[in-house]
Amino acid sequence: MVEPAEVQHGLEDVVALESRICFIDGKQGRLIYDGYDIRDLAARSTFEEVAYLLWYGRLPTAAQLHDLTARLTELRRLPETLAVEIDALPATAHPMDILRTAVSALALLEPEETKPGESSIGGAQRLTAVLPSILGRFHRRRAGLPALRDRPELSHAAYLVYALLDRAPTELEARAIDVALILHADHELNASTFAARVTASTLSDLYSAVTSAIGTLKGPLHGGANERVMELLEEIGTVDRVEEVVKGKLSRHERIMGFGHRVYKVEDPRATILREWSRRVGEAHGSLRYYELLRKVEEVVLREKGLYPNVDLYSGSVYSLLGIPHDLFTPVFAASRVAGWTAHVLEEYHDLRLIRPTAKYVGALDLPYVPIAQRH
Ligand code: COA
């Protein structure tokens, strides 16, 4: 029995397990998936290729990528029972709640895919393929858009845009979303991945692990930050107001979303890449307003607080320019991170050890039991 050590609040700097999937060098600002630098992957690969890498630990050959792409396309379709259930849920709900509920419901319909073990890779591919369809089914009803159709010619990124907006993206837009999906696909033991691994470590099923992860990603300190960044930009309005609004928030000790990171102590490399895509997509849409506002916000936050941008600062501006509603930003994050969550769950099943830390007890001891009639 190991004696309890000092409390590491928020498990900061605690090394909880070994993993081959993702490495973050917080001092150098580097992010590696299975040996490959995120900058190379963002410049040269696709989301499908990265998902293969995360699941199998190596880049696919052309034939393997072709097979995986075909399989993901096949697996997009929603079971009718689930489609009907999604339609019965309140149209006013947050799409993250819909996603969590739909994945949980899908576990009842697909018991084989969700079992821990050999078939889990099938479940991983099924969930990755189907999340855009769940979101599309829900969003199209509330937005009055036509029903989803199979679009086998569309890549995963382009299908996600089609599912949400009922239009195929331009080549530049599809690439911007593909890059965003690559950048969000994994991030070591972030809170939602840790939640997925904790669930899997009890030998619970894959869909339950992903349900836990979705519930964890939803929080504004994790996946919800990019939505809040766009709210901040709306509040600011014009570049000349950035200084006043940001300084005001900092003086009230409010957090500026899209800044700071538990691991990166320099600029998050994903922010560097997305900043450039925000500019490119802005130029293509004839509006650099978000880009310019964000540049100014960056300048003020760095000067006043010494904080660098994280992945969430620029992603929302790219999604907004395409016309994706703000409450779908975190679900888009989930549609990417599901590849990482499931890769980690597969790894957990392979190298299983119940995750169960201890707490330092700070309560009372040996209190005399007081009968209820004598309590006041
Ligand atoms: N805006 C303002 N101040 C911030 C900040 C932010 N975004 N992020 C950190 N800080 C400040 C804290 O207030 C604290 O200041 P203090 O020492 O004066 O009290 C200090 O920096 C350390 O913050 P702490 O919360 O201990 O760091 P952490 O490692 O736990 O935080 C985050 C990591 C991501 C939770 C945090 O940076 C944050 O809340 N960011 C905004 C949300 C966000 O963008 N999330 C997406 C992450 S990818």
Side-chain angles (χ1 to χ4, degrees):
M1 171 78 186
V2 184
E3 281 300 310
E6 271 309 293
V7 176
Q8 300 297 328
H9 291 282
L11 298 184
E12 189 162 351
D13 294 330
V14 171
V15 181
L17 47 89
E18 286 181 0
S19 175
R20 59 137 186 94
I21 299 171
C22 182
F23 172 60
I24 305 170
D25 182 339
K27 290 199 185 98
Q28 305 283 332
R30 288 189 78 199
L31 171 60
I32 310 285
Y33 293 168
D34 269 296
Y36 297 93
D37 194 296
I38 196 68
R39 286 169 293 204
D40 286 334
L41 294 170
R44 302 168 71 175
S45 73
T46 60
F47 174 73
E48 288 85 339
E49 215 176 329
V50 166
Y52 188 102
L53 175 67
L54 297 173
W55 289 326
Y56 296 98
R58 58 181 187 276
L59 284 173
T61 62
Q64 286 164 338
L65 182 60
H66 179 269
D67 287 353
L68 178 68
T69 305
R71 186 150 173 71
L72 290 176
T73 308
E74 260 171 42
L75 291 173
R76 282 176 187 163
R77 194 171 285 190
L78 288 176
E80 196 45 36
T81 322
L82 182 60
V84 170
E85 275 180 38
I86 294 171
D87 291 348
L89 296 170
T92 50
H94 194 286
M96 282 301 277
D97 291 328
I98 299 293
L99 209 53
R100 191 194 55 231
T101 303
V103 169
S104 185
L106 199 60
L108 303 171
L109 306 173
E110 298 176 351
E112 275 314 305
E113 282 80 356
T114 186
K115 274 188 195 156
E118 290 295 293
S119 55
S120 297
I121 183 68
Q125 293 171 0
R126 169 59 161 160
L127 289 183
T128 303
V130 86
L131 290 202
S133 305
I134 293 172
L135 294 171
R137 179 80 187 197
F138 171 71
H139 176 64
R140 282 164 176 261
R141 175 171 60 104
R142 67 176 188 172
L145 295 171
L148 261 181
R149 285 183 295 113
D150 290 342
R151 295 289 302 267
E153 77 288 4
L154 296 180
S155 70
H156 189 77
Y159 178 72
L160 177 63
V161 175
Y162 159 73
L164 299 180
L165 302 179
D166 196 44
R167 70 172 178 87
T170 64
E171 213 172 292
L172 181 101
E173 289 173 336
R175 186 60 195 149
I177 295 296
D178 204 19
V179 169
L181 294 180
I182 292 168
L183 298 178
H184 286 85
D186 198 55
H187 213 226
E188 203 224 38
L189 284 194
N190 60 95
S192 58
T193 303
F194 190 59
R197 285 193 82 133
V198 170
T199 304
S201 83
T202 69
L203 257 189
S204 183
D205 61 282
L206 176 78
Y207 288 27
S208 290
V210 171
T211 305
S212 300
I214 295 171
T216 310
L217 182 67
K218 193 183 146 191
L221 296 188
H222 190 4
N226 55 4
E227 206 176 319
R228 308 291 154 89
V229 170
M230 296 314 289
E231 284 166 15
L232 173 68
L233 295 193
E234 272 162 23
E235 183 187 337
I236 294 173
T238 48
V239 175
D240 58 315
R241 278 182 31 84
V242 170
E243 197 89 29
E244 176 197 335
V245 175
V246 172
K247 278 188 179 167
K249 286 189 180 294
L250 290 175
S251 69
R252 293 189 297 276
H253 302 287
E254 287 175 32
R255 289 190 178 224
I256 311 294
M257 296 292 142
F259 288 89
H261 200 275
R262 177 61 65 79
V263 185
Y264 295 114
K265 299 306 166 207
V266 293
E267 181 164 295
D268 179 339
R270 302 167 301 172
T272 317
I273 298 167
L274 278 174
R275 180 192 292 118
E276 184 53 19
W277 277 99
S278 173
R279 190 188 59 73
R280 274 189 220 176
V281 175
E283 270 173 2
H285 282 254
S287 169
L288 287 174
R289 183 173 160 259
Y290 293 143
Y291 177 77
E292 283 162 3
L293 279 169
L294 288 168
R295 289 298 281 162
K296 185 69 186 170
V297 173
E298 266 194 75
E299 182 197 309
V300 177
V301 174
L302 182 63
R303 182 190 346 117
E304 298 297 319
K305 196 77 192 172
L307 288 169
Y308 293 94
N310 61 48
V311 68
D312 286 309
L313 189 67
Y314 283 94
S315 56
S317 64
V318 174
Y319 305 152
S320 284
L321 284 162
L322 264 72
I324 298 175
H326 294 182
D327 67 354
L328 286 167
F329 294 177
T330 313
V332 167
F333 186 162
S336 160
R337 185 58 58 86
V338 66
W341 290 333
T342 51
H344 278 272
V345 169
L346 294 172
E347 190 175 57
E348 188 62 43
Y349 288 153
H350 191 255
D351 192 15
L352 195 93
R353 173 85 180 151
L354 176 71
I355 299 174
R356 200 291 190 200
T358 50
K360 176 177 175 182
Y361 181 63
V362 294
L365 283 173
D366 302 327
L367 293 177
Y369 184 82
V370 181
I372 196 160
Q374 294 167 24
R375 292 177 211 156
H376 44 263

